[in-house]
């Protein structure tokens, strides 16, 4: 009697134990599955950068998944963690504006390296495109229609995003700064068609293919591939700058040379010079000209 009761209790305990373990196993599998899902999501939405020295994963930059359906906000000023490397600081900053960071070695990454400086702009009224490359005229127009534009004083039809135009007018109030053409539109905000026309003037499909494959980059300092120009964003202007006073006035108002070899081209970054390195910018002197380039 005592024996069988004891056996019964042991048996009951055994079944309870089995039931408990099964539950725990199912629960743990559930967690694992959701972790796995999170990882899959991660690889899809993150860009991993590799350290060239040891070929190890050094950093991951992820798209904020909760932000995919809303406009990236620029109302709160962002300062990257200064313990990060230049490249990490730059990428952390532009992730605030650009929801998908191009994958290293891609055509878009090459474009980001050459023209991505504008994405560091922290001025709340400045708008940046959702991606580094517009595919056609319609897409470009659609973005341009969302911009608040302003006129550059004493020009026929030179327009920039209003805050960029205001900053440029301010610089021009300090010192005379002539536009490349002397008066007008093509030096300022351009259409996709104008960008394409300029490209065809200096390059062709063959050049484009070489840029796509990463075999040609110098052309990017002469002309931007169709759909990739900063001039499409209303944040660039081509100028004839010949003295230090002009450079100083432009820099003091947030304008910098950012595209290597493109001496005439100025970008509205909207930051004081002493803060540029905080965001990962590198100072580069090419053929005696000072550029602030991306660290990519
Ligand atoms: Zn330009």
């Amino acid at each position: 009697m005592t024996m069988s009761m004891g056996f019964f209790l042991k048996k009951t305990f055994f079944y309870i134990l089995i039931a408990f373990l099964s539950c725990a196993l199912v629960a743990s599998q559930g967690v694992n599955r959701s972790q796995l899902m999170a990882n899959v999501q991660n690889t899809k939405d993150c860009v991993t950068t590799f350290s060239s020295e040891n070929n190890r994963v050094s950093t991951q930059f992820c798209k904020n998944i909760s932000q995919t359906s809303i406009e990236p906000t620029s109302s709160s000023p962002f300062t990257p963690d200064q313990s990060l490397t230049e490249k990490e600081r730059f990428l952390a900053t532009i992730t605030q504006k650009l929801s998908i960071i191009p994958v290293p070695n891609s055509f878009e990454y090459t474009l980001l390296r050459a023209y991505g400086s504008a994405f560091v702009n922290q001025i709340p009224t400045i708008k940046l495109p959702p991606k580094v490359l517009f595919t056609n005229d319609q897409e470009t127009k659609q973005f341009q229609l969302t911009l608040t534009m302003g006129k550059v004083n004493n020009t026929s039809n030179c327009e920039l995003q209003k805050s960029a135009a205001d900053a440029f007018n301010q610089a021009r109030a300090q010192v005379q700064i002539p536009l490349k053409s002397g008066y007008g539109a093509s030096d300022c905000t351009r259409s996709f068609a104008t960008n394409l026309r300029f490209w065809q003037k200096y390059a062709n499909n063959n050049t484009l293919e070489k840029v796509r494959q990463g075999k040609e980059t110098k052309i990017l300092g002469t002309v931007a591939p169709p759909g990739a120009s900063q001039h499409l964003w209303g944040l660039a202007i081509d100028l004839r700058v010949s003295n230090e006073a002009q450079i100083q006035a432009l820099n003091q108002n947030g304008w910098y040379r950012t595209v290597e070899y493109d001496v005439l081209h100025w970008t509205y970054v909207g930051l004081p010079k002493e803060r540029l390195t905080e965001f990962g910018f590198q100072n580069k002197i090419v053929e005696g000209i000072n550029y602030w380039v991306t660290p990519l």
Side-chain angles (χ1 to χ4, degrees):
M1 181 78 176
T2 321
M3 282 276 284
S4 65
M5 178 63 94
F7 176 70
F8 173 72
L9 283 174
K10 269 184 198 163
K11 203 170 161 188
T12 309
F13 176 72
F14 177 72
Y15 282 126
I16 289 170
L17 186 69
I18 292 291
F20 174 75
L21 285 176
S22 313
C23 282
L25 193 66
V26 167
S28 83
Q29 274 175 343
V31 169
N32 283 341
R33 182 181 294 168
S34 68
Q35 274 172 344
L36 185 69
M37 295 290 277
N39 286 339
V40 169
Q41 188 82 48
N42 240 11
T43 45
K44 219 172 133 188
D45 291 283
C46 294
V47 167
T48 305
T49 59
F50 291 91
S51 153
S52 52
E53 294 87 2
N54 48 17
N55 209 27
R56 271 187 325 128
V57 175
S58 59
T59 326
Q60 272 205 332
F61 293 97
C62 305
K63 175 165 75 169
N64 186 344
I65 291 154
S66 65
Q67 272 193 359
T68 46
S69 57
I70 58 164
E71 293 275 15
T73 168
S74 54
S75 54
S76 53
F78 174 81
T79 313
D81 179 351
Q82 294 304 298
S83 67
L84 298 172
T85 65
E86 284 174 336
K87 188 173 168 180
E88 287 166 351
R89 294 204 295 277
F90 179 79
L91 288 173
T93 306
I94 68 165
T95 306
Q96 309 294 310
K97 306 270 176 185
L98 199 57
S99 55
I100 298 167
I101 305 293
V103 178
N105 301 320
S106 64
F107 176 45
E108 284 81 359
Y109 194 83
T110 301
L111 297 174
L112 184 67
R113 181 191 298 123
Y115 310 127
S117 57
F119 285 95
V120 171
N121 199 306
Q122 302 290 304
I123 310 283
T125 45
I126 289 294
K127 205 164 175 194
L128 283 144
K131 49 187 185 168
V132 293
L133 182 66
F134 286 123
T135 45
N136 55 45
D137 191 48
Q138 195 198 357
E139 208 177 60
T140 310
K141 269 188 194 142
Q142 225 165 30
F143 168 71
Q144 289 181 341
L145 280 171
T146 68
L147 304 176
T148 305
M149 303 300 282
K151 213 182 138 199
V152 169
N153 295 339
N154 308 316
T155 62
S156 54
N157 49 0
C158 168
E159 287 202 336
L160 299 168
Q161 286 198 39
K162 192 178 181 305
S163 304
D166 290 348
F168 180 68
N169 285 331
Q170 198 104 9
R172 245 179 160 200
Q174 293 169 239
V175 59
Q176 206 195 352
I177 309 170
L179 269 59
K180 178 188 167 189
S181 70
Y183 57 90
S186 65
D187 297 331
C188 312
T189 303
R190 291 176 193 155
S191 65
F192 184 90
T194 306
N195 182 186
L196 178 63
R197 201 177 71 235
F198 281 19
W199 174 260
Q200 286 165 343
K201 197 169 144 188
Y202 298 97
N204 54 38
N205 286 344
N206 202 11
T207 331
L208 190 59
E209 199 44 45
K210 280 185 190 160
V211 176
R212 280 184 182 281
Q213 292 169 4
K215 291 175 183 164
E216 161 67 51
T217 52
K218 211 174 168 185
I219 186 71
L220 303 177
T222 303
V223 64
S229 174
Q230 285 182 344
H231 289 278
L232 300 174
W233 312 340
L235 297 172
I237 191 164
D238 291 344
L239 304 169
R240 293 199 186 276
V241 168
S242 52
N243 63 56
E244 201 51 43
Q246 294 166 323
I247 296 174
Q248 242 180 46
L250 285 161
N251 288 175
Q252 278 166 8
N253 289 285
W255 284 88
Y256 301 91
R257 283 188 172 113
T258 67
V259 180
E260 244 175 280
Y261 297 105
D262 200 344
V263 183
L264 304 171
H265 184 92
W266 291 75
T267 309
Y268 185 52
V269 178
L271 283 169
K273 201 170 167 179
E274 58 277 11
R275 290 200 66 198
L276 292 175
T277 53
E278 260 178 60
F279 295 87
F281 274 103
Q282 287 175 345
N283 190 223
K284 207 165 172 184
I285 296 168
V286 184
E287 292 169 0
I289 301 288
N290 218 313
Y291 297 92
W292 288 93
V293 299
T294 68
L296 303 179

PDB file of all heavy atoms in Angstrom, residues 187 190 229 231 236-238 262 264-266, ligand 1:
ATOM      1  N   ASP A 187      23.658  76.928 -62.638  1.00  0.00           N
ATOM      2  CA  ASP A 187      24.645  76.875 -61.557  1.00  0.00           C
ATOM      3  C   ASP A 187      23.999  76.446 -60.238  1.00  0.00           C
ATOM      4  O   ASP A 187      24.693  76.176 -59.268  1.00  0.00           O
ATOM      5  CB  ASP A 187      25.270  78.261 -61.331  1.00  0.00           C
ATOM      6  CG  ASP A 187      26.047  78.734 -62.554  1.00  0.00           C
ATOM      7  OD1 ASP A 187      26.559  77.880 -63.289  1.00  0.00           O
ATOM      8  OD2 ASP A 187      26.121  79.963 -62.756  1.00  0.00           O
ATOM      9  N   ARG A 190      19.071  72.125 -60.469  1.00  0.00           N
ATOM     10  CA  ARG A 190      18.903  71.615 -61.834  1.00  0.00           C
ATOM     11  C   ARG A 190      17.802  70.569 -61.908  1.00  0.00           C
ATOM     12  O   ARG A 190      17.472  69.933 -60.909  1.00  0.00           O
ATOM     13  CB  ARG A 190      20.202  70.944 -62.310  1.00  0.00           C
ATOM     14  CG  ARG A 190      21.321  71.943 -62.519  1.00  0.00           C
ATOM     15  CD  ARG A 190      22.612  71.242 -62.888  1.00  0.00           C
ATOM     16  NE  ARG A 190      23.712  72.194 -62.770  1.00  0.00           N
ATOM     17  CZ  ARG A 190      24.975  71.858 -62.559  1.00  0.00           C
ATOM     18  NH1 ARG A 190      25.313  70.583 -62.461  1.00  0.00           N
ATOM     19  NH2 ARG A 190      25.903  72.774 -62.457  1.00  0.00           N
ATOM     20  N   SER A 229      23.208  64.159 -58.939  1.00  0.00           N
ATOM     21  CA  SER A 229      23.809  65.454 -58.621  1.00  0.00           C
ATOM     22  C   SER A 229      23.215  66.107 -57.365  1.00  0.00           C
ATOM     23  O   SER A 229      22.006  66.070 -57.146  1.00  0.00           O
ATOM     24  CB  SER A 229      23.618  66.401 -59.807  1.00  0.00           C
ATOM     25  OG  SER A 229      24.059  67.694 -59.465  1.00  0.00           O
ATOM     26  N   HIS A 231      22.985  69.119 -57.187  1.00  0.00           N
ATOM     27  CA  HIS A 231      22.208  70.233 -57.743  1.00  0.00           C
ATOM     28  C   HIS A 231      20.722  69.880 -57.850  1.00  0.00           C
ATOM     29  O   HIS A 231      19.876  70.765 -57.912  1.00  0.00           O
ATOM     30  CB  HIS A 231      22.742  70.633 -59.125  1.00  0.00           C
ATOM     31  CG  HIS A 231      24.077  71.322 -59.063  1.00  0.00           C
ATOM     32  ND1 HIS A 231      24.206  72.657 -58.776  1.00  0.00           N
ATOM     33  CD2 HIS A 231      25.334  70.853 -59.250  1.00  0.00           C
ATOM     34  CE1 HIS A 231      25.490  72.992 -58.788  1.00  0.00           C
ATOM     35  NE2 HIS A 231      26.197  71.902 -59.071  1.00  0.00           N
ATOM     36  N   ALA A 236      23.377  72.817 -53.790  1.00  0.00           N
ATOM     37  CA  ALA A 236      24.698  73.038 -54.384  1.00  0.00           C
ATOM     38  C   ALA A 236      24.655  74.217 -55.334  1.00  0.00           C
ATOM     39  O   ALA A 236      23.611  74.512 -55.936  1.00  0.00           O
ATOM     40  CB  ALA A 236      25.141  71.787 -55.118  1.00  0.00           C
ATOM     41  N   ILE A 237      25.806  74.856 -55.462  1.00  0.00           N
ATOM     42  CA  ILE A 237      25.924  75.994 -56.374  1.00  0.00           C
ATOM     43  C   ILE A 237      27.345  76.007 -56.945  1.00  0.00           C
ATOM     44  O   ILE A 237      28.297  75.639 -56.254  1.00  0.00           O
ATOM     45  CB  ILE A 237      25.580  77.327 -55.639  1.00  0.00           C
ATOM     46  CG1 ILE A 237      25.447  78.483 -56.626  1.00  0.00           C
ATOM     47  CG2 ILE A 237      26.589  77.659 -54.542  1.00  0.00           C
ATOM     48  CD1 ILE A 237      24.743  79.697 -56.035  1.00  0.00           C
ATOM     49  N   ASP A 238      27.458  76.373 -58.221  1.00  0.00           N
ATOM     50  CA  ASP A 238      28.774  76.471 -58.855  1.00  0.00           C
ATOM     51  C   ASP A 238      29.206  77.930 -58.898  1.00  0.00           C
ATOM     52  O   ASP A 238      28.469  78.782 -59.403  1.00  0.00           O
ATOM     53  CB  ASP A 238      28.729  75.881 -60.269  1.00  0.00           C
ATOM     54  CG  ASP A 238      28.547  74.375 -60.244  1.00  0.00           C
ATOM     55  OD1 ASP A 238      28.768  73.770 -59.171  1.00  0.00           O
ATOM     56  OD2 ASP A 238      28.181  73.797 -61.280  1.00  0.00           O
ATOM     57  N   ASP A 262      36.249  69.052 -57.989  1.00  0.00           N
ATOM     58  CA  ASP A 262      35.239  69.971 -58.507  1.00  0.00           C
ATOM     59  C   ASP A 262      35.400  71.318 -57.791  1.00  0.00           C
ATOM     60  O   ASP A 262      34.710  71.623 -56.810  1.00  0.00           O
ATOM     61  CB  ASP A 262      33.832  69.398 -58.306  1.00  0.00           C
ATOM     62  CG  ASP A 262      32.819  70.054 -59.232  1.00  0.00           C
ATOM     63  OD1 ASP A 262      33.141  71.130 -59.783  1.00  0.00           O
ATOM     64  OD2 ASP A 262      31.719  69.496 -59.400  1.00  0.00           O
ATOM     65  N   LEU A 264      34.714  74.335 -58.670  1.00  0.00           N
ATOM     66  CA  LEU A 264      33.635  75.316 -58.775  1.00  0.00           C
ATOM     67  C   LEU A 264      32.436  74.986 -57.883  1.00  0.00           C
ATOM     68  O   LEU A 264      31.597  75.840 -57.617  1.00  0.00           O
ATOM     69  CB  LEU A 264      33.148  75.395 -60.235  1.00  0.00           C
ATOM     70  CG  LEU A 264      34.206  75.711 -61.306  1.00  0.00           C
ATOM     71  CD1 LEU A 264      33.614  75.541 -62.695  1.00  0.00           C
ATOM     72  CD2 LEU A 264      34.732  77.134 -61.121  1.00  0.00           C
ATOM     73  N   HIS A 265      32.368  73.734 -57.459  1.00  0.00           N
ATOM     74  CA  HIS A 265      31.166  73.224 -56.794  1.00  0.00           C
ATOM     75  C   HIS A 265      31.185  73.420 -55.272  1.00  0.00           C
ATOM     76  O   HIS A 265      32.118  73.015 -54.596  1.00  0.00           O
ATOM     77  CB  HIS A 265      31.058  71.729 -57.132  1.00  0.00           C
ATOM     78  CG  HIS A 265      29.831  71.063 -56.618  1.00  0.00           C
ATOM     79  ND1 HIS A 265      28.674  70.951 -57.360  1.00  0.00           N
ATOM     80  CD2 HIS A 265      29.574  70.449 -55.430  1.00  0.00           C
ATOM     81  CE1 HIS A 265      27.765  70.294 -56.653  1.00  0.00           C
ATOM     82  NE2 HIS A 265      28.289  69.975 -55.483  1.00  0.00           N
ATOM     83  N   TRP A 266      30.119  74.036 -54.763  1.00  0.00           N
ATOM     84  CA  TRP A 266      29.978  74.278 -53.323  1.00  0.00           C
ATOM     85  C   TRP A 266      28.703  73.629 -52.806  1.00  0.00           C
ATOM     86  O   TRP A 266      27.669  73.658 -53.470  1.00  0.00           O
ATOM     87  CB  TRP A 266      29.975  75.783 -53.041  1.00  0.00           C
ATOM     88  CG  TRP A 266      31.317  76.412 -53.306  1.00  0.00           C
ATOM     89  CD1 TRP A 266      31.848  76.685 -54.536  1.00  0.00           C
ATOM     90  CD2 TRP A 266      32.314  76.777 -52.350  1.00  0.00           C
ATOM     91  NE1 TRP A 266      33.108  77.214 -54.405  1.00  0.00           N
ATOM     92  CE2 TRP A 266      33.415  77.290 -53.061  1.00  0.00           C
ATOM     93  CE3 TRP A 266      32.372  76.742 -50.953  1.00  0.00           C
ATOM     94  CZ2 TRP A 266      34.573  77.751 -52.441  1.00  0.00           C
ATOM     95  CZ3 TRP A 266      33.523  77.210 -50.315  1.00  0.00           C
ATOM     96  CH2 TRP A 266      34.604  77.701 -51.061  1.00  0.00           C
TER      97      TRP A 266
HETATM   98 ZN1  LIG B   1      28.241  71.830 -59.146  1.00  0.00          ZN
END
